[in-house]
Amino acid sequence: MSDGGRKKGKAVVVGGSIAGVASAHALIRAGWEVVVVEKSIAPPTRSPTGAGLSLDTVSQKIVNSWLRQPHLLQTSTLPLSIDLNEATDGEKNIRWTLARDENLNFIAAHWADLHSLLYDALPPDIFLWGHLYLSFCISNDESNVKVKTKILQTGEIIEIVGDFLIAADGCLSSIRRSFLPEFKLRYSGYCAWRGVLNFSDNEHSEAMIGIREAYPDLGKCLYLNLGYRTHTVLFELLHKKINWIWYVNQPEPELERNSVTTKVSSNMIKEMYEEAEKVWVPEMVKLMKETKEPFINVIYDCDPLEQIVWDNVVLVGDAAHPITPHSSRSTNMAILDAAVLGKCLEKQVAENLHSALGEFQSIRLPVVSKQVLHSRYVGRIKQGLVLSDRNPFDPMIAKPEECQILLQRSVPFLGDAPSILP
């Protein structure tokens, strides 16, 4: 029993990425026991896995509330105070401003750094590393859920029993498929070349000097460069790293190994460089060439789901709302999902679990639905794709009033914290 005689419930979380560790924090804060099932063999501490991300002001406050030493979030990130969208003419080697906001108030982090920060602040015994999720079943009286997993190192299959299941298993969620067997992700029409350049050993190289001159606000600015039917994203990370993304319109590729990240060959990288030279200024091209092991993400989202709770199962993060990256929402939505879920559960004893999950769904579903559709719309604008209510966007001739939607501040509910949060 927890304080005041309230029954302490147990949650099983499937997925140990940001959504999973955030859910663990929120539920522990609410007085719940938590077990996190993750197929990776060990924590990705100090791993180069992943790329750059940004946190808005609400997410920053939530993460700080979970950390024993809140200052660590600021010392592990860089501020992003400027949101700058520019048009780029690679042939003439010129850029000009389309829209600028100097009150962004985001912070930039590497995925692995944020994950380590959150993971290290959790009790060490709640994670089951190297456990492959297999299936789940809900008891006839809906009083518990059994999760079956396989221990990868031994092959042993075990069952974990909890009051409810949190599906934090990403945009390709197999738990979601249990309820929506016909569900399919929607291909956006484009993929993203991505990379993180570590320039700690070549801070004074020709490429870095050129980048600093071409992008003088690196370190505090979210740069978005728009060409004809394409765009890039560029921002600096802590520890002398630069995160870059280049979105390219193309037919949908085949996914490999149930992942939206695809391997690339040396020939593909060479062709990417050649195409970049036709579109982007030389400094950007040099940055791409200096980056080791660039990779490709296939960009998906889905039409907003009508529900994200079924009996004793709740979807969070990308399992609940796959989204394109243009509004910097994926990580922020996952963190807010976790915080709201925790507060809903904190209000209810375990016997009122379904009421708490229903409240969570009613709070989050309208918000995430609008944000998913907004990000889709902005992505199609930036990629010059067909739109139902306007001509395809051309940054070369765009008027200032057309460009305001490109800014992060145009995101619905940005900066709004649900009233259930303190």
Side-chain angles (χ1 to χ4, degrees):
M1 302 288 285
S2 60
D3 293 345
R6 292 160 64 95
K7 179 182 176 182
K8 186 176 183 180
K10 178 180 178 180
V12 182
V13 181
V14 173
S17 190
I18 300 295
V21 293
S23 296
H25 273 285
L27 266 67
I28 290 173
R29 181 64 61 91
W32 281 63
E33 182 182 351
V34 179
V35 174
V36 183
V37 176
E38 169 54 44
K39 64 182 178 182
S40 300
I41 298 299
T45 307
R46 291 179 293 277
S47 164
T49 303
L53 54 85
S54 59
L55 298 185
D56 62 26
T57 53
V58 175
S59 291
Q60 293 172 49
K61 292 177 182 177
I62 292 170
V63 171
N64 275 327
S65 74
W66 293 336
L67 301 178
R68 292 186 291 272
Q69 298 174 291
H71 72 276
L72 291 177
L73 180 61
Q74 300 305 318
T75 58
S76 302
T77 60
L78 287 180
L80 290 175
S81 58
I82 303 171
D83 182 5
L84 178 57
N85 287 257
E86 300 179 318
T88 297
D89 187 331
E91 291 184 0
K92 297 180 181 179
N93 192 20
I94 57 173
R95 310 195 322 267
W96 62 96
T97 298
L98 296 173
R100 183 182 177 101
D101 177 14
E102 297 194 1
N103 296 289
L104 183 59
N105 295 324
F106 280 28
I107 56 175
H110 191 279
W111 180 91
D113 291 341
L114 179 63
H115 187 278
S116 295
L117 194 65
L118 289 169
Y119 175 73
D120 290 345
L122 286 169
D125 57 347
I126 68 169
F127 261 74
L128 299 180
W129 294 102
H131 282 60
L132 176 66
Y133 162 80
L134 297 176
S135 63
F136 74 92
C137 65
I138 300 171
S139 62
N140 291 334
D141 61 359
E142 298 182 3
S143 64
N144 63 62
V145 59
K146 293 182 180 179
V147 178
K148 185 179 294 186
T149 73
K150 179 180 180 180
I151 303 175
L152 294 178
Q153 289 185 330
T154 66
E156 179 185 0
I157 293 177
I158 64 171
E159 283 189 341
I160 306 164
V161 181
D163 291 276
F164 79 110
L165 169 63
I166 300 177
D169 53 343
C171 68
L172 297 173
S173 171
S174 57
I175 296 174
R176 182 185 59 218
R177 196 180 309 123
S178 301
F179 300 103
L180 302 171
E182 303 301 319
F183 174 90
K184 289 185 178 180
L185 292 173
R186 185 200 71 95
Y187 178 55
S188 64
Y190 48 90
C191 295
W193 278 96
R194 303 196 66 168
V196 175
L197 172 64
N198 186 332
F199 61 91
S200 56
D201 294 330
N202 59 349
E203 188 172 358
H204 303 292
S205 67
E206 181 182 349
M208 282 309 305
I209 292 173
I211 281 290
R212 293 290 189 200
E213 291 177 351
Y215 300 92
D217 287 321
L218 269 179
K220 61 179 180 180
C221 183
L222 176 64
Y223 279 100
L224 294 102
N225 294 143
L226 282 74
Y228 179 67
R229 303 192 69 204
T230 188
H231 75 286
T232 61
V233 179
L234 181 70
F235 57 91
E236 188 168 349
L237 303 171
L238 199 66
H239 306 308
K240 301 187 186 302
K241 297 175 182 176
I242 295 180
N243 181 80
W244 61 267
I245 313 169
W246 176 20
Y247 296 97
V248 180
N249 295 341
Q250 66 175 71
E252 181 179 5
E254 291 189 16
L255 295 184
E256 303 173 3
R257 304 183 318 280
N258 198 35
S259 171
V260 295
T261 299
T262 64
K263 285 188 175 182
V264 297
S265 65
S266 57
N267 283 338
M268 292 171 66
I269 295 174
K270 180 182 178 182
E271 291 175 3
M272 182 266 286
Y273 294 156
E274 292 172 352
E275 290 301 313
E277 289 171 345
K278 300 175 184 176
V279 181
W280 305 117
V281 297
E283 293 83 3
M284 175 63 78
V285 179
K286 287 183 179 179
L287 175 70
M288 294 175 176
K289 289 183 176 180
E290 292 283 333
T291 303
K292 295 179 180 179
E293 300 181 357
F295 58 97
I296 294 177
N297 276 154
V298 187
I299 307 301
Y300 290 97
D301 68 4
C302 77
D303 292 335
L305 302 182
E306 294 182 358
Q307 66 184 99
I308 52 177
V309 172
W310 287 267
D311 299 323
N312 294 39
V313 181
V314 56
L315 310 183
V316 299
D318 287 343
H321 35 71
I323 186 171
T324 58
H326 311 293
S327 299
S328 300
R329 299 317 304 153
S330 179
T331 300
N332 290 287
M333 292 161 81
I335 290 170
L336 199 52
D337 284 349
V340 171
L341 179 59
K343 285 299 177 183
C344 290
L345 291 165
E346 189 175 341
K347 289 173 56 179
Q348 305 283 355
V349 294
E351 288 85 350
N352 294 327
L353 171 65
H354 293 96
S355 176
L357 297 184
E359 183 180 20
F360 165 77
Q361 177 173 264
S362 68
I363 292 172
R364 291 300 290 152
L365 204 54
V367 174
V368 299
S369 297
K370 285 194 174 183
Q371 292 185 340
V372 165
L373 294 178
H374 177 83
S375 186
R376 177 188 299 183
Y377 186 72
V378 171
R380 294 189 70 83
I381 289 175
K382 292 177 179 179
Q383 288 299 107
L385 297 172
V386 174
L387 298 162
S388 60
D389 61 345
R390 60 190 292 174
N391 293 326
F393 185 77
D394 184 349
M396 305 304 159
I397 58 174
K399 298 177 182 178
E401 59 269 21
E402 295 180 274
C403 301
Q404 294 305 301
I405 195 172
L406 303 175
L407 294 171
Q408 296 293 324
R409 67 187 182 198
S410 69
V411 175
F413 302 105
L414 183 69
D416 293 347
S419 58
I420 194 172
L421 299 181

